[in-house]
Amino acid sequence: ASTSFFIAVSVVLIGAIVGGFLGAITAYYGGILDAVMMRVTDAINGFPSILLALVVISVLGTGVDKLILALAIVFCPSFIRIVRSEFIKYRDADFVVRARLMGVSNRRILFVHILPNIFSTFLVSVMIGFNNAILAESGMSFLGIGVQPPDASLGKMLSDAQGYLGSAPWYALAPGLSIVWIVLGFSLLSEGIRRQS
């Protein structure tokens, strides 16, 4: 499970940092930058996410680092859209307008005044992103285009257990239940955060 966790955490960190930054900048400044960024995210979202990851992996090759990069490219647009929509709600709020009138820098407005207000929504999206990253990695490794031997992951273990379903079906039990419990646990955690916010 450590490989699956490493991939999921790496994908979500890259997607959240890059996507969050781009979403905040495009929402705050708007104009042509916002229009171009939204068209790019629309183009990326036009492809099924797994298919887009497959295309990236077919170009770059297989391996953990390539899988992380492919999934991060797929995950960035969702973080861009979530952060953008939250920043748009606050960019013309009274406290932001007052900060501008006082001469506060744009960077401080972005990261000190607006970011704390969207943190709970952003955290929930990170939890959901982690779930999706676990499922995407497991699915791609199950198909043989994700984690490659000698590395092991939950999806790779399920793939290996597929040949023993008739004689020893319990081989698939541990990785399958692990995926279910991880996804269920983070879903419940994100729901708890959402309710408290």
Side-chain angles (χ1 to χ4, degrees):
S2 61
T3 305
S4 297
F5 265 90
F6 173 74
I7 291 170
V9 168
S10 301
V11 166
V12 169
L13 276 178
I14 294 170
I17 291 170
V18 174
F21 179 75
L22 292 175
I25 295 298
T26 56
Y28 187 74
Y29 290 104
I32 188 73
L33 177 65
D34 186 36
V36 169
M37 185 58 67
M38 288 304 97
R39 296 305 71 78
V40 171
T41 57
D42 288 343
I44 293 174
N45 284 333
F47 293 95
S49 56
I50 296 296
L51 180 62
L52 183 59
L54 289 174
V55 170
V56 174
I57 284 179
S58 66
V59 171
L60 299 177
T62 56
V64 171
D65 53 343
K66 275 90 170 182
L67 179 62
I68 290 171
L69 181 61
L71 291 176
I73 290 170
V74 169
F75 278 54
C76 266
S78 62
F79 285 108
I80 290 172
R81 286 195 169 277
I82 290 167
V83 172
R84 175 184 175 269
S85 66
E86 290 296 311
F87 264 75
I88 285 174
K89 285 198 289 192
Y90 289 104
R91 73 178 173 196
D92 295 321
D94 288 341
F95 66 91
V96 174
V97 172
R98 287 189 195 113
R100 280 197 204 107
L101 292 173
M102 291 172 59
V104 176
S105 68
N106 289 329
R107 185 174 61 183
R108 184 171 174 82
I109 291 172
L110 283 169
F111 297 109
V112 175
H113 294 276
I114 299 177
L115 186 62
N117 289 299
I118 71 158
F119 186 73
S120 60
T121 303
F122 185 68
L123 191 57
V124 168
S125 67
V126 166
M127 298 288 177
I128 293 169
F130 183 83
N131 277 352
N132 292 337
I134 286 283
L135 292 172
E137 180 280 322
S138 299
M140 294 181 78
S141 295
F142 180 81
L143 295 173
I145 51 176
V147 175
Q148 300 296 312
D151 295 326
S153 74
L154 295 173
K156 185 76 178 93
M157 290 173 67
L158 275 177
S159 177
D160 294 342
Q162 187 179 14
Y164 301 97
L165 286 179
S167 58
W170 53 87
Y171 283 178
L173 199 59
L177 285 178
S178 296
I179 293 169
V180 169
W181 285 116
I182 290 168
V183 171
L184 182 62
F186 277 91
S187 296
L188 292 173
L189 187 60
S190 66
E191 182 64 21
I193 293 169
R194 189 188 64 78
R195 285 185 179 178
Q196 287 183 355
S197 60

